[in-house]
Amino acid sequence: MGALIIGFVAIVAVLALAWFLVPSKKDDLADEAKKDKKPTSGTGTQAREDAQRLPYRYADDTMFIHGDSVWTAIRLTTHPEELASPEELTAMATEPGRVFAALGRSGRPVEWHLKIVEKPVDAAAETAKIVDAAWLPTANFRAYVERIAEYQQRLGASEREVALFIKLGSLTHGPAVDLGETAAEAPRARGEARPGLTARAGEFVTGVAEEDLAPSTIERWQAVAASVHQAFGRLGEPLSRADLVYHIRKPLYGHLPVPKEPLIHSRAWGRSQFDLVVDFRGDNSRPTHIEIEQVDEETGQQLTSYTTTLVVASWPENVRFQQYQAWARRVGELDFPVDVSWRGTLLPAERFTKEISKIHNNLKDEYEDMVAGGRTPDQQLTDQVAVSKDAVDIAVDNPRPGFEGRMRFTVSAPTVEELNRRASELKKHLERQAGVEVLRAKRLQWRLMQEALPGDDPKLPIAPYQRIQSLETFGIGLPTAGVNIGDRTSRDRSGHVLGWKGPFIGWSGRFPVHYGLHVGPARNMGAGVACAGASGGGKSSLGLLKFFQESESGTECVAIDPKVDFAQMCYYLAFGAQVNDPDFEREAAEGTIGTAYSKFQPVNAEFWAETRVIDLLKSHDGVLDPWSITPDVHAGRLVAETMFAGFIGQQMWQRIQVPVTVAMEAVLDRYDQRLQAAMSQGASAAHASDTTPRPTAWEVVQNIEEQLAAAQEDAASRADKLAELELAVTVLRSLRKMPYARLAFAKEPRPFETVRRRRTVITLRGLELPQDDNPDNWQAPDRLASTILQMVMRMASQMLDVKLEQHPVTGKMATRPKALFVDESYVVTATPAGRSLLQRALKQGRSYAMVVYLITQQVTDLIRIEDAESREGGTNQIHSAFMFLQKSVEEARRVAPMLKRDPDDPRVIASLMEPHLETGVCMYRDADNRVGTTEIDLVFAELLRATDTNPKTRPARQAVDPPADVAGWSFQSEMNDLEVAA
């Protein structure tokens, strides 16, 4: 406990402190101030210095004390509203009001203060958190996120913060909110020890009051704050002490950067202990703005900012919810930041009814006086009488709380000229787009600045343009609408924090977007990620970026790479311009690059040492044998049946299924006999299982050949059985000779060695993928490609170890995060067997910390999986979706459900096509189902070169070696003109 002290010095004009009346109608504030000014000395407007300390007495991460008042604050969760459904918009507009209604159950007025600001990203703090969340980050990953922080600071990256401050009550009179027994137990501040004589003498000299708030008092008020936080639930999270300090500093710095230090986190505050939060000086001698003076703590340079506050003078006569006229949305459209300060008081139902009845009676009296005096009331007054009468009737029939509030908009700039331009543009924009009239208050700026500070307001003699409204109208302006999207934390029912913020991937408007693959599963969501779009839209670049980020952070990544895009990126980052050598591709296919016998040596040896590229076509026969890529023999049989059916097609499989099944039974019987023989010789069951040769697909075909030979020698064999066996042998012999099918057949299969690397890329050079997503139209090569991809996916899943291991940083036993990237995944999901495989992988992924990242041009089958999960009452398995450019309306309709949006909504269709989307821009649905336009930003020239999948531009871009150290990488803005043109 202790004091939070703010030095607060301003140079003001005497006239600015004079009492004045505030007009109740739309008159110019300056005119009224001139009429009622009361100079306090004969010198008239002479300037003087007014030094004061703001009364912040205590603050922690749940509540703060301002004078005698106790406050808490909630950071409200923002939601992109560009594609919000009617249900989501309704929730955004009404949910805060419903929580407010609960706060007013005590029957006492509750003061609140809503602040909307653009808060600069604390890039350094985010960097530390991203690194802390990584399993085993490389030195380059640390450098990467530090450079990203530098990049964001250069661009002035910010995030939109909506903070709701709520007055819990006062130390003297107890709580004003009542959310249960806990709140009722909050005490009044009685019997607390008073400071001694020496302490009081020190107060007089220093102006710093000793605080002696009893711990029990703090704890009980914290309980009241906790009840408010719980009431808001998923609508927001408590504002921390550091965030509170930011909101105190923000109005006092104008457009200047708000410093993060000094703010002491190492200890709790105690008696005679405080943080000097801000030392402010301002000049209030101008009627329409304040000149702010600050000193750069590093350079000592004098900094100046100019700030002005505009008050809302009138709203549209009929306030209705219209998304495109919502004031918060319109304010966010301007090209400069606008801070919103909206203060109000929640009125209990009885008082609200009384207040609006008083307004109606006043209007009615005015109307009747005009009629009695022989004058005809104008239409505006007539309408006001009718509207107020309706409001009273509604309030009487259905008593509900309401509120009275006053809204301000503040803009700041480095010059008076720019300030005037911004104020004028804000005024015109709100009047034109939202029907809201604002005025630039004169000789009120000083008080309005104080009013923007958290805590009790300065109590202007008559609050300018205060408006009484029903509680339902609180959210009509969509104050929580924004473009913030991407990773965020949440809390479970016990209060534990779930999730974190992953690496930076791009921008939503002017706000940064962060995304980590495992944040969704950490928040108890599905383990799938969908990335879809037409060729050239940018989906591969995002997949490659995530592959780089996640593998460098310590996630064990495996990529199934039909187009060799992942391998090409790894080759360039490891070998640089050598990838353009005519012999490089040949040696890469042979697997000799980087060895002592190769002329190609890595320019980044550390990166290459953690990379493994497997060219499947060059692999040994049998590496995809069903019994080699499954954990046990019985699972191998199921996979073998699926493999045979996939290779030859369902119709042919039905014709030869019987002899193949008989052969499998025979092969499994032989295996069981070998297993029993090993155990009879003293081997344990585990040792016998590990050492006994497993069945093979080759052995199954061989057994069918033996069946055919026996049937041919048996004169009693039926002709139909003989024909069935002959067909089976012919089909399977032909199958074994096909280029990729041989990978599933070998007398002695040799599975891949399990080598733990950060990155493993399995390439499928020469595999022709189906051009049609309908398996009914597939020919033999199409079926082969689909089945091979399924087998590779099974093999890759086995390569990702799911055992617990010691965390390299914490030392605790944990499961290492893993990620499986599947390019052209539509080939897998097009068949029922493939969808079943993927569904199992997604369900098991969350338990094993494995995320499946699906890159595809077709999402129809993924939607089938999601729909099946929903029908079964399960959790949707795709926690995030990135939908890139679609070429036709029909394609846009198909992907809309992945965004959880209506495919018949014209807004949704337009958002997925040109001109809204272009290369590198997508519609992103995050783990909270928020959808917004996101521009992917690779940031570095080296990553732009590495992720170039265009064979025409790639050689020129990859003619430059990337520095081995990310600290030496260049931002894209530093690329030369020739590369930009390429």
Side-chain angles (χ1 to χ4, degrees), residues 367-401:
Y367 182 92
E368 291 175 350
D369 289 344
M370 292 183 69
V371 173
R375 293 176 295 166
T376 302
D378 60 19
Q379 189 61 44
Q380 182 179 9
L381 179 59
T382 303
D383 292 342
Q384 288 175 341
V385 171
V387 170
S388 62
K389 177 64 167 62
D390 291 341
V392 172
D393 292 342
I394 293 172
V396 171
D397 294 340
N398 183 23
R400 292 181 59 81

Side-chain angles (χ1 to χ4, degrees), residues 501-541:
K501 187 176 285 188
F504 168 81
I505 62 167
W507 302 91
S508 180
R510 56 177 179 267
F511 302 107
V513 178
H514 291 254
Y515 173 65
L517 292 186
H518 291 83
V519 176
R523 296 179 56 201
N524 298 318
M525 299 175 187
V529 184
C531 184
S535 179
K539 63 183 185 296
S540 294
S541 294

Side-chain angles (χ1 to χ4, degrees), residues 637 641-642 644-645 648-665 700 704 707 724-725 727-728 732:
R637 174 179 177 168
E641 290 179 350
T642 302
F644 281 120
I648 62 179
Q650 197 63 35
Q651 290 183 344
M652 183 59 70
W653 169 245
Q654 291 175 356
R655 295 178 64 183
I656 68 172
Q657 183 176 5
V658 172
V660 173
T661 301
V662 171
M664 285 188 186
E665 292 288 350
V700 171
I704 297 174
Q707 291 182 50
E724 185 180 57
L725 287 170
L727 177 63
L732 295 178

Side-chain angles (χ1 to χ4, degrees), residues 560 789-797 820 828 837-838 841 852:
I560 300 175
L789 272 178
Q790 293 179 43
M791 302 296 286
V792 172
M793 188 171 170
R794 291 181 184 276
M795 179 188 70
S797 299
L820 175 61
V828 175
L837 169 63
L838 178 59
V852 183

Side-chain angles (χ1 to χ4, degrees), residues 521-567:
R523 296 179 56 201
N524 298 318
M525 299 175 187
V529 184
C531 184
S535 179
K539 63 183 185 296
S540 294
S541 294
L542 175 59
L544 295 170
L545 173 65
K546 290 309 301 174
F547 186 74
F548 169 79
Q549 290 177 341
E550 297 291 336
S551 61
E552 287 293 288
S553 74
T555 299
E556 189 177 3
C557 296
V558 174
I560 300 175
D561 188 20
K563 299 180 298 187
V564 203
D565 291 339
F566 286 83

Side-chain angles (χ1 to χ4, degrees), residues 556 558 612-614 619-620 623 628-629 749-757 759-760 762 795-796 798-800:
E556 189 177 3
V558 174
R612 185 185 186 194
V613 179
I614 300 172
S619 300
H620 303 293
V623 294
S628 296
I629 62 174
R750 292 174 55 186
F752 287 116
E753 299 178 12
T754 303
V755 180
R756 303 291 296 275
R757 302 279 176 86
R759 289 166 292 276
T760 298
I762 304 172
M795 179 188 70
Q798 292 301 309
M799 294 172 67
L800 293 169

Side-chain angles (χ1 to χ4, degrees), residues 445-493:
Q445 293 297 321
W446 177 245
R447 293 295 186 90
L448 292 172
M449 172 180 278
Q450 290 176 282
E451 190 186 60
L453 298 171
D456 294 343
D457 64 28
K459 302 300 181 187
L460 296 173
I462 299 177
Y465 300 108
Q466 190 153 279
R467 181 183 178 91
I468 295 180
Q469 299 171 251
S470 64
L471 198 55
E472 289 79 7
T473 62
F474 177 83
I476 280 181
L478 298 181
T480 58
V483 291
N484 292 357
I485 193 172
D487 288 343
R488 72 177 186 92
T489 58
S490 61
R491 294 178 183 270
D492 61 15
R493 292 183 178 179

